[in-house]
Structures are given as structure tokens and as C-alpha cells.
Amino acid sequence: FYDTKKNEIYFEHSVGEISGSQFYRFNLKKNFTPDFFRNSLAGFIQKISTSNYKKILVAIPSYELFKEIFVSEENYLESIIEGLLLGNYSFDKYKSEKGKLKRLELYIDYSDSKKITKIINTSTKLIDAVTFARDLVNEPANSLTPHEFVNRLKHEFSSKNIKLKIFNKAQLQKQNMNCILSVGRASSN
């Protein structure tokens, strides 16, 4: 996973006793940021999800190897978990079963199980919100009408301590929300 001599991170997979096929490799000296790391892990998961793998064990290296890059151990772990979870996202609601990407089962190994469990729980909530927003954005306009959008928000937030205030056309006009009204005029809904 991390080559200290070359200062590179790489991903390998193994099939039975055979190992060594590399999917990704990048140098930590060039443009390496937490966001780059998160996005690279997401890309790795997207790539591997097209293979025959169903389960992945991720052994996370010690934070000490990366403390110059990440502001804290939590930031390091969040970048890893968020990248893995983001890579597992696919909007395939309208795809046939054949075209759907499979979701991978991820197993995480880290030296501090209490800390990684907390990060997994927090990151999962964040990524659930991100995937909800992505699902809304990816819906076609004829499917996600204003009425349907409100219904989905009500459903999503009904069990949470969130108060929704929904404006009708008159309330939007009163609040001078003219951009929303202009977009709405183009719709038959």
C-alpha cells in the first residue's frame, strides 16, 4: 500500500495465492492533498467494482507515515473512508441489471479500532447525504418534478430533527425568488 523508499502509494489485488497486479500508483511528492487522496481512493473503488471482486480488505497504514500531509489523524482516516464510500456510489436506478455496478463490501483494518469505528460512522452519515444529493441531481426533470422533490425531501428528513419549510408560488414571489420562478416557468409542473 505504501512504499517508503519510493514515497509512493499503490494498490494491489490478489487472486488466491497470486498477487501483485497494480491498479493505481501515485507519488506523494506531486500534488498530493487529502482531496487528491480521497478522489484517488474513490477512483480505485470505481475501477475495481467492474471486476469480479465482491469484498475488499483495506489495511490502513499508520498515520505517522502521512502526518506531514494531513492536519490530523482524523483527517487522514476521514479521507480514506470517504474516498472508499464515494467510490462505491453509482446512480443506476434506470439501468438494467446487467449494466449496474455492484457495491463492494469493504472491510477496514486499522490499529485503533475505536477511532476508525467513530470515523466510519461519521463518514457514512456524510456520504449518505452526498449520495442523496447526487441521486436528486441525477434524476431526469420529468421524474423529479417540484412536487416529487418535496415528497422526497419530506421522506428523507421525516425521521431527523430537521424542519422543512416549503414555499408555494405566492411565497416565492413575496420573497423575490425570481430565479427559481423563472426556471419554474419553463416547466409544465
Side-chain angles (χ1 to χ4, degrees), residues 86-97:
L86 285 168
N88 228 356
Y89 172 78
S90 175
F91 184 76
D92 50 18
K93 181 176 178 179
Y94 301 105
K95 289 184 179 178
S96 67
E97 286 300 314

Side-chain angles (χ1 to χ4, degrees), residues 1-2 8-13 20-27 36-49 83-84 87:
F1 192 74
Y2 179 63
E8 291 180 330
I9 293 177
Y10 60 94
F11 302 99
E12 294 184 340
H13 78 283
S21 297
Q22 297 172 357
F23 288 103
Y24 278 151
R25 174 175 245 140
F26 50 90
N27 191 306
F36 177 79
F37 190 51
R38 179 185 301 109
N39 293 341
S40 295
L41 285 169
F44 169 69
I45 294 298
Q46 285 283 313
K47 183 169 183 145
I48 203 169
S49 68
L84 295 172

Side-chain angles (χ1 to χ4, degrees), residues 165 167-178 181:
K165 185 170 184 177
F167 293 153
N168 61 27
K169 184 177 179 180
Q171 291 167 315
L172 290 172
Q173 289 170 330
K174 185 177 179 181
Q175 295 289 326
N176 290 322
M177 295 183 172
N178 297 319
L181 291 166

Side-chain angles (χ1 to χ4, degrees), residues 6-106:
K6 293 181 181 177
N7 202 29
E8 291 180 330
I9 293 177
Y10 60 94
F11 302 99
E12 294 184 340
H13 78 283
S14 62
V15 180
E17 299 295 318
I18 303 168
S19 67
S21 297
Q22 297 172 357
F23 288 103
Y24 278 151
R25 174 175 245 140
F26 50 90
N27 191 306
L28 297 181
K29 294 178 184 173
K30 298 177 182 173
N31 303 322
F32 191 85
T33 65
D35 287 338
F36 177 79
F37 190 51
R38 179 185 301 109
N39 293 341
S40 295
L41 285 169
F44 169 69
I45 294 298
Q46 285 283 313
K47 183 169 183 145
I48 203 169
S49 68
T50 61
S51 70
N52 291 327
Y53 295 105
K54 296 176 183 169
K55 301 175 184 180
I56 297 177
L57 170 65
V58 180
I60 300 174
S62 169
Y63 165 68
E64 293 300 313
L65 298 169
F66 302 97
K67 65 182 178 182
E68 293 179 16
I69 297 166
F70 296 91
V71 296
S72 67
E73 184 178 11
E74 288 77 11
N75 177 246
Y76 167 63
L77 295 171
E78 287 166 352
S79 294
I80 292 170
I81 300 303
E82 290 169 12
L84 295 172
L85 294 173
L86 285 168
N88 228 356
Y89 172 78
S90 175
F91 184 76
D92 50 18
K93 181 176 178 179
Y94 301 105
K95 289 184 179 178
S96 67
E97 286 300 314
K98 185 178 179 184
K100 289 185 179 185
L101 288 177
K102 66 180 181 301
R103 290 182 58 96
L104 299 169
E105 288 183 44
L106 302 173

Side-chain angles (χ1 to χ4, degrees), residues 32 70 108 115 125 131 158:
F32 191 85
F70 296 91
I108 310 296
K115 187 173 282 188
K125 290 175 186 172
T131 57
S158 64

